[in-house]
């Protein structure tokens, strides 16, 4: 019998075992981060006393955003993923959400078929990119973007079509939000997680405006010792739009890590 339940602190070892199945090359969140930032909206699937999958989601006003959906390779195609997704959908509806979205690798046909079966459709592609901190100096000259006051977050989200409330959620989890504007309005915005280190969400009118946000992130970086991994000398960012900005970053020397398809639909 498959049991879907809320995650508990003692589920961290199972979470840490399953997280690498995302195949994103992201570092596994620490037990402290699991407890402080993920636990409240994480579900686990348990069969015969063993955790065989988990789902992590965020509620952003009317949106239920599925961030992780992972099943144990030994139990795939046994309904675990569908059961977790169904429970997240039920939870989102109970909380008043009317929309559902998530990201998936474009070549994951089985997952895409599952998501299409609940009404999701592909909307756009995004790219995870890594760039050495030193590369930022080679970007167009622009001063570091200032910290964005919390009261201005809504205006920047509306301007750049960022899900309302996402910047507040990221800030509440320790993220630093930077933004720039000119006489006509917002020109760039980005949230920096110094512990990762990564930038998401990230929007800009162009490469010069983005460079200011990246310089602000560089100025706010903290030393990381991670056995010589990329985290010691590089920044990972996730860029969804505009496509021209992704291409400009690649030409500047950013390293492509992951392509994802953003899927969305009614809940």
């Amino acid at each position: 019998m498959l049991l879907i339940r809320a995650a508990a602190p003692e589920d961290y070892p199972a979470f840490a075992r399953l997280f690498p199945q995302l195949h994103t090359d992201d570092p596994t969140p620490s037990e402290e981060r699991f407890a402080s930032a993920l636990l409240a909206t994480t579900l686990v699937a348990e069969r015969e006393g063993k955790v065989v999958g988990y789902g992590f989601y965020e509620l952003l006003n009317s949106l239920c955003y599925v961030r992780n959906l992972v099943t144990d390779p030994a139990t795939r195609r046994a309904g675990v993923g569908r059961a977790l997704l169904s429970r997240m959908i039920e939870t989102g509806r109970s909380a008043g959400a009317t929309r559902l979205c998530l990201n998936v690798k474009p070549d994951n046909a089985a997952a895409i078929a599952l998501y299409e079966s609940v009404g999701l459709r592909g909307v756009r592609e995004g790219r995870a990119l890594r760039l050495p901190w030193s590369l930022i100096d080679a970007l167009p000259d622009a001063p570091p973007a200032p910290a964005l006051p919390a009261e201005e977050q809504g205006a920047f989200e509306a301007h750049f079509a960022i899900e309302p409330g996402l910047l507040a959620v990221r800030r509440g989890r320790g993220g630093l939000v930077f933004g720039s504007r000119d006489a006509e309005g917002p020109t760039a915005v980005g949230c920096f997680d110094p512990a990762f280190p990564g930038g998401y969400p990230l929007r800009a009118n162009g490469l010069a405006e983005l460079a200011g946000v990246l310089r602000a992130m560089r100025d706010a970086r903290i030393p990381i010792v991670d056995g010589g991994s990329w985290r010691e000398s590089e920044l990972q960012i996730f860029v969804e739009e505009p496509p021209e900005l992704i291409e400009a970053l690649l030409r500047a020397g950013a390293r492509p890590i992951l392509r994802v398809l953003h899927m969305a639909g009614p809940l």
Side-chain angles (χ1 to χ4, degrees), residues 204-228:
N205 291 348
L207 189 59
E209 293 82 359
L210 179 64
V213 171
L214 296 179
R215 290 192 173 101
M217 293 180 180
R218 182 188 59 188
D219 291 349
R221 65 182 290 204
I222 60 176
I224 293 178
V225 178
D226 189 42

Side-chain angles (χ1 to χ4, degrees), residues 11-161:
D11 290 316
Y12 177 75
F15 165 82
R17 171 175 56 85
L18 292 168
F19 182 86
Q21 293 300 320
L22 290 169
H23 299 295
T24 61
D25 195 29
D26 290 349
T28 300
S30 67
E31 187 168 5
E32 178 183 6
R33 189 172 180 85
F34 174 72
S36 64
L38 284 71
L39 183 60
T41 55
T42 294
L43 302 173
V44 298
E46 185 177 274
R47 176 171 284 156
E48 298 179 356
K50 180 182 178 181
V51 174
V52 293
Y54 81 89
F56 167 59
Y57 63 95
E58 291 178 331
L59 293 173
L60 302 170
N61 298 315
S62 64
L63 177 70
C64 179
Y65 203 137
V66 175
R67 293 296 185 180
N68 295 171
L69 180 57
V70 185
T71 60
D72 190 312
T75 61
R76 285 184 184 155
R77 302 190 184 280
V80 175
R82 182 175 293 277
L84 282 165
L85 181 60
S86 295
R87 181 63 61 84
M88 287 188 280
I89 289 173
E90 291 173 9
T91 303
R93 285 174 176 159
S94 297
T98 57
R99 296 175 296 135
L100 178 70
C101 74
L102 49 78
N103 293 325
V104 61
K105 292 180 180 178
D107 60 354
N108 192 339
I112 290 174
L114 169 61
Y115 303 145
E116 289 179 338
S117 74
V118 298
L120 299 186
R121 297 293 180 266
V123 175
R124 60 180 179 271
E125 284 200 2
R127 299 289 291 271
L129 308 171
R130 285 185 192 149
L131 56 157
W133 289 109
S134 58
L135 180 67
I136 294 175
D137 286 328
L139 297 178
D141 188 31
L148 184 68
E151 59 269 21
E152 294 186 32
Q153 288 175 169
F156 275 69
E157 287 172 336
H159 180 84
F160 287 109

